[in-house]
Amino acid sequence: MQSDMIESCAAQFAHAHLTGQIDALPLLPETAEDAFAIQSATIARLGVVGGWKHGLIGGRDLACAPILKAEVHHSGTLQPHLRGLRIEVETAFLLGKDIAPDATFEAIIDAIDDVHIAFECLRTRFVTPTGHTPLELMADRFTNYSIVIGDAIADWRNRDLAALAITTNFAPAGTRAAPGMSLDQSVDFLGFLARRAAELGLPLSAGQYVITGARLGPIPLTTPGTFHAEINHARVEMTVTAA
């Protein structure tokens, strides 16, 4: 994909993030590298990186997407009730140190400051939420809109992060949490992310949060209200206000 087309796609995504949604891109990304380039160019137009999210291209191939620092919020925040807003319960790794592309397993563990319960708020920048290619969705930063960081999970190094029970006040009855990543799997992903982020010129840095995949959701938020979730006594809460 030519650089002018990458910039054109990024301009549309950046405009849609701030003001609305778009019908279609001027040209579809054909490779993961195209989608990564569009992500990076979009972030450059909107601000700086405050975190990263785990993603899978077509549900298979490991990938990631940057999260805007301006869209990293903390428990108790107010979020607007936007069309198509969905929510996921996640675990978020707070980095206390930079992670180099060649970091060892031990260095990555040492760089983790805490693990928090978090919400990820999802909202596609496309008017029509379905019918898009996996690479379009990746270019749309896997529909990330914002994250909300809650309490730290106590004694996270010695807990089975993949199986911690979740309670919420919004999940429909019978909703079951999905298995999460184990600590070892999360460290492997952070290593992949450190290499990919460096290649994009957006190094994995202290103070950033990394979310590692939905434990519960996505669940559509069809009405305003206050929503909360708990994992092992750690709580996250946000209030969605009327638009």
Side-chain angles (χ1 to χ4, degrees), residues 12-95:
Q12 289 207 30
F13 277 135
H15 180 75
H17 183 85
L18 296 172
T19 62
Q21 294 176 298
I22 58 178
D23 291 314
L25 294 176
L27 185 68
L28 298 185
E30 296 181 352
T31 67
E33 296 307 316
D34 289 343
F36 276 127
I38 293 169
Q39 288 179 359
S40 298
T42 302
I43 290 291
R45 290 171 176 269
L46 291 170
V48 297
V49 175
W52 294 85
K53 69 169 288 181
H54 173 275
L56 293 173
I57 305 170
R60 285 187 320 275
D61 299 326
L62 184 61
C64 57
I67 299 169
L68 275 171
K69 186 173 183 178
E71 298 295 357
V72 177
H73 307 282
H74 292 273
S75 197
T77 188
L78 302 179
Q79 293 281 285
H81 186 244
L82 301 170
R83 176 178 176 267
L85 186 68
R86 299 174 296 152
I87 188 174
E88 294 178 342
V89 181
E90 306 247 0
T91 48
F93 287 71
L94 172 60
L95 303 183

Side-chain angles (χ1 to χ4, degrees), residues 29-187:
E30 296 181 352
T31 67
E33 296 307 316
D34 289 343
F36 276 127
I38 293 169
Q39 288 179 359
S40 298
T42 302
I43 290 291
R45 290 171 176 269
L46 291 170
V48 297
V49 175
W52 294 85
K53 69 169 288 181
H54 173 275
L56 293 173
I57 305 170
R60 285 187 320 275
D61 299 326
L62 184 61
C64 57
I67 299 169
L68 275 171
K69 186 173 183 178
E71 298 295 357
V72 177
H73 307 282
H74 292 273
S75 197
T77 188
L78 302 179
Q79 293 281 285
H81 186 244
L82 301 170
R83 176 178 176 267
L85 186 68
R86 299 174 296 152
I87 188 174
E88 294 178 342
V89 181
E90 306 247 0
T91 48
F93 287 71
L94 172 60
L95 303 183
K97 299 178 181 178
D98 299 352
I99 299 180
D102 59 351
T104 64
F105 185 95
E106 292 74 18
I108 295 172
I109 284 280
D110 185 58
I112 301 169
D113 194 42
D114 258 322
V115 180
H116 294 250
I117 185 173
F119 285 145
E120 182 182 14
C121 297
L122 303 169
R123 180 178 182 260
T124 180
R125 261 62 64 167
F126 292 107
V127 171
T128 305
T130 59
H132 302 286
T133 70
L135 291 175
E136 282 182 283
L137 297 177
M138 180 182 168
D140 191 20
R141 291 181 284 130
F142 293 108
T143 73
N144 172 265
Y145 183 77
S146 64
I147 59 173
V148 180
I149 303 299
D151 297 331
I153 297 171
D155 196 27
W156 57 268
R157 291 176 185 265
N158 298 310
R159 297 192 180 278
D160 182 0
L161 297 179
L164 293 175
I166 299 172
T167 59
T168 80
N169 71 334
F170 59 86
T175 302
R176 300 175 67 89
M181 283 189 187
S182 67
L183 181 57
D184 284 0
Q185 289 171 326
S186 298
V187 170

